[in-house]
Amino acid sequence: MVEGGALGQVNRLREASGEIEWSEAALELTRHMSKTNIRLSDYFSTQLHTHRNYSLIIDQISVLIISSLLQCNFRRCFGSAATVIERNTSFSTLNSDDVSYFKELLGEKSVVEDEDVLLTANTDWMRKYKGSSKLLLQPKTTHEVSQILKYCNSRCLPVVPQGGNTGLVGGSVPVFDEVIINMGSMNNIISLDKVSGILVCEAGCILENLISFLDNHGFIMPLDLGAKGSCQIGGNVSTNAGGLRLVRYGSLHGTVLGLEAVLANGDVIDMLGTLRKDNTGYDLKHLFIGSEGSLGIVTKVSILTPPKLSSVNLAFLACEDYFSCQKLLVEAKRRLGDILSAFEFLDNQSMDLVLNHLEGARNPLPSSMHNFYVLIETTGSDESYDKEKLEAFLLSSMEGGLISDGVLAQDINQASSFWRIREGVPEALMKAGAVYKYDLSIPVEKMYDLVDEMRIRMGQTAKVIAYGHLGDSNLHLNISAPQYDDKILAQIEPYVYEWTSEHKGSISAEHGLGLMKANKIFYSKSPETVQVMGSIKKLLDPNGILNPYKVLPQSLSSYH
Amino acid sequence: MVEGGALGQVNRLREASGEIEWSEAALELTRHMSKTNIRLSDYFSTQLHTHRNYSLIIDQISVLIISSLLQCNFRRCFGSAATVIERNTSFSTLNSDDVSYFKELLGEKSVVEDEDVLLTANTDWMRKYKGSSKLLLQPKTTHEVSQILKYCNSRCLPVVPQGGNTGLVGGSVPVFDEVIINMGSMNNIISLDKVSGILVCEAGCILENLISFLDNHGFIMPLDLGAKGSCQIGGNVSTNAGGLRLVRYGSLHGTVLGLEAVLANGDVIDMLGTLRKDNTGYDLKHLFIGSEGSLGIVTKVSILTPPKLSSVNLAFLACEDYFSCQKLLVEAKRRLGDILSAFEFLDNQSMDLVLNHLEGARNPLPSSMHNFYVLIETTGSDESYDKEKLEAFLLSSMEGGLISDGVLAQDINQASSFWRIREGVPEALMKAGAVYKYDLSIPVEKMYDLVDEMRIRMGQTAKVIAYGHLGDSNLHLNISAPQYDDKILAQIEPYVYEWTSEHKGSISAEHGLGLMKANKIFYSKSPETVQVMGSIKKLLDPNGILNPYKVLPQSLSSYH
């Protein structure tokens, strides 16, 4: 089409003033190029060579520039030149009838077109991903979610479900003009069984609110994250969030007992069981745990919450090398296994960053700078015994040379200040400038080799910051630079993914794939496995309206 | 068809000598009756009333009797008159070419046609379900499993995957003539990571062998079952087996880190990750955990094994009423939470049965008969402290009147003899005569109400025996009678299922649905949910060859 009637089309478009038409012309052009695998510069030199028609070329370039100036959302490019995403052409575009329908269904107040609100909802926490949705809906009931999806599915209107929007892979913001379904209004706690500790609540409940609620009843949430003040349980479940307590309580696949989800066609799938054991048919809830809203929208959750144990102890330790951290972990699992509730680490570059960028942060072990810091938390039922046990363990670890220094939190304030160091690294990174974030799972023995290699690779151009959940083999590798720069990115990717894949690691331990890594899935999953994922996506969401462009490569999640 | 040309058909069949044709006539008849929901006696009295044609009726009855004499496998009826299962007519029948193919593929020794071996493999552990397979295959590699399935799928030959054949719902034996794929030859341990405790092994490894292997390396399996001497890990995973340690280590959905499975078309899905955290795409392994071999055959498993903790204590306690058992559980969770590893119960009828039928069994608390017995096991890292803690807990429970008597195992032999009581109930039940087994999950508070109601309901006709994993709300309800009797069954079913469903319980906590409860799934799952299960079955196994007639209602798992 571009080659045939492109000139006429461009001329026509030049006269037109509408944004959409400019965008469509640009879309045609990029589509043609992506189909034939031609790069922009190659394309134009071929055109020039073939047609010798400067006017045509200039017109085409104009189209691209204008559509780019208009912040055309029909083509997005994130960091890597290889990741070109096109809007799925089978999707409809929102019109005033749609908005009227939603207003009728939800009431005026729950249909948000306010630009400021939309700007926030279109942008992710890191300000790295930005969509251009024109509409945000706030359903209050499962029925409303069902009606919204039924309608959107029939109209082929894409949607993005949004919880606290604290994701780190661009999974919770629109890529183009998807309708945002914000779950924050579904925030009721439905029940808590005080015998079994089973909590049932709506998806929009903020994690910290659930933590406080449970605290009053003698229970705790089996997961805890730095983002707890904003993130919602529905988002936690949909992304299979990990966090700080996984080493003790396991993943959400183990602790979520049931859920309710709405499929793309509006069908409500009630799997909201409250039983610890239920072997009646396929355990479908697991499809919705960690599928990032691409198979259905989680509306309610039933979760097993452990009893709040009275005695919590926290040690902040220093190790001189990574091997000592590893050995310390093995020993801690064996000797503190019954009370161990967190085993976290950060390296000295992370500590540096926190001390430099986080107000009020101070090193709990200030006498000298150490290479590694480890936080060990225990949770048990016997204050004096647990402390004694931890102290005995630390003493023998110090005698054995595994730790070179350490301090036990004396009260809750000191414990908070220790956690502030570890939990504050992401915030410090944000303040330090641009950051390339990688959330990897790599067998513990090899984990830090990657960090060392990256330091050599990056040289002076960027800092390599490593911390994470050592107890679960989860490394947060961060490359911190003054600003984003494609040259830096090219130094990191695909190297990081290739290295992780070679060492049988996961390129996303707990953050999910979202938009950032949808096309990177093959680094961690076999083609046959991804193919089955694609078939399941197609089965449950045949029009591909649910959180499009995310999780799976676009070839598998868009069918048109 | 029966009404129209039945007489002619029957006459024709009378002259015919082939087994198949007799069966087909019988099939037509039963199909007609099942379609119109007519019972056998009602059907014939209607026929008699309408046609006054005794010859027709006699012919039809002859067909049924002859086909039954021929042990016709085209119709099987288990216990309940409502459960009529027909052989899927789209399946092929095994021929000599098939057998030759398998001999070529696997070698003569791995293709078993021996009648004695087949008789054992066709019959379940309880001798309640019996198939008529003519062939058992013993693949040694994933590739062989893949080739077998690829072939069977192309030929539309149904298969039943078989592990240790210790299932209790008829899931692991053929219903008709399915080819048995016995996994016992795939019994290699592939690796154990001694830092993380991650074990990778083939599906045919016997659970007890894995337990012994790990014991030598300082780890334990996160599950333990009475059937451990025979059951295989692949079967455990495929049925999401629960068992004695679930209260401590959670379900296999939490502890299985990865698996390899072969789909019906022979595709090998490699999900054999060894990472505790991996959020790259849909976590498909969960589809194969608990789907009872109906979506694929599990060939390898990667599982997180906890460190073996040195101190294990076991208390055998008596409670006078069920309310005390419940309160004891809540207290134990709160006060022993960090070391509690089992909380089991049995009632006095179970104890009676064990004492009467199990050689060498003796009541650890013989002074008087109590109403309930509870086993509490703790597992921790500090011998003297753990014992002290348990003793203090027991003392306060005794003072508070929750327990009326109790004894702590003094050595491993005594501990074994305590476990023998609890684990011996199923064996004692088998020895006592016929047994109707129900594996239910019901909220703890209401669980024993059902037992009381069943005792009233059954009166003197049968004994009601109750025991189970109280810590996980899992009741094993057993109705024990001198012999199987449809009148007894009618007293139990559907009442037990209806009661469980009304109380939001699960009609299969850990045994699965198998053949026994495939049609009962709606008591625990919503129609929309079951519909999605059916679509997933159809997607992954379009010819329905994998463990047919099991898990899902036949209307959803047979498509022809």
Side-chain angles (χ1 to χ4, degrees), chain A residues 347-369:
Chain A
D347 63 7
N348 57 2
Q349 301 258 13
S350 307
M351 177 62 93
D352 244 1
L353 198 84
V354 167
L355 297 179
N356 287 334
H357 292 280
L358 229 58
E359 214 174 315
R362 57 166 216 87
N363 188 345
L365 303 170
S367 60
S368 66
M369 201 66 181

Side-chain angles (χ1 to χ4, degrees), chain B residues 1-14 24-26 28-29 32 43 47 51 53 55-57 59-60 63:
Chain B
M1 281 188 68
V2 171
E3 302 218 49
L7 185 61
Q9 195 189 2
V10 170
N11 281 335
R12 189 172 53 74
L13 285 174
R14 267 183 147 183
E24 274 173 4
E28 273 303 327
L29 216 58
H32 173 80
Y43 174 75
Q47 291 284 81
H51 302 286
N53 182 340
S55 158
L56 169 77
I57 308 304
D59 281 342
Q60 292 188 342
V63 167

Side-chain angles (χ1 to χ4, degrees), chain A residues 29 49 114 128 199 291 299 343 368 370 403 456 488 522:
Chain A
L29 215 57
H49 186 76
D114 178 87
K128 189 174 164 194
L199 172 78
S291 56
T299 43
F343 194 106
S368 66
H370 302 276
I403 52 182
I456 295 167
I488 293 179
F522 296 104

Side-chain angles (χ1 to χ4, degrees), chain A residues 315-319 321-322 325 343-355 363-364 369-376 418-426 428 448 451 455 464-470 474-476:
Chain A
F316 197 96
L317 311 169
C319 296
D321 52 48
Y322 181 69
C325 299
F343 194 106
E344 298 286 314
F345 92 112
L346 56 156
D347 63 7
N348 57 2
Q349 301 258 13
S350 307
M351 177 62 93
D352 244 1
L353 198 84
V354 167
L355 297 179
N363 188 345
M369 201 66 181
H370 302 276
N371 291 322
F372 292 91
Y373 298 91
V374 169
L375 278 92
I376 294 182
F418 291 0
W419 273 123
R420 171 91 174 118
I421 306 275
R422 163 61 190 84
E423 292 189 287
V425 190
Y448 210 74
V451 182
R455 289 223 167 98
V464 178
I465 311 290
Y467 63 97
H469 316 291
L470 199 67
N474 186 180
L475 170 70
H476 292 311

Side-chain angles (χ1 to χ4, degrees), chain B residues 189 192 197-202 205-215 218-225 228 231-234 236-237 242 244-246 248-250 252 255-256 301-308 341 377:
Chain B
I189 290 170
L192 171 68
I198 295 164
L199 172 77
V200 182
C201 65
E202 289 182 328
C205 290
I206 288 172
L207 180 60
E208 196 162 50
N209 294 348
L210 295 176
I211 292 172
S212 310
F213 169 80
L214 288 172
D215 189 67
F219 293 93
I220 61 165
M221 284 296 281
L223 81 162
D224 190 9
L225 316 176
K228 61 185 157 227
C231 67
Q232 297 170 8
I233 189 67
N236 296 151
V237 168
L244 305 167
R245 287 181 187 154
L246 194 133
R248 172 72 169 260
Y249 299 112
L252 291 170
T255 51
V256 170
V301 174
S302 150
I303 188 164
L304 183 68
T305 72
K308 182 186 169 189
S341 55
E377 189 195 68

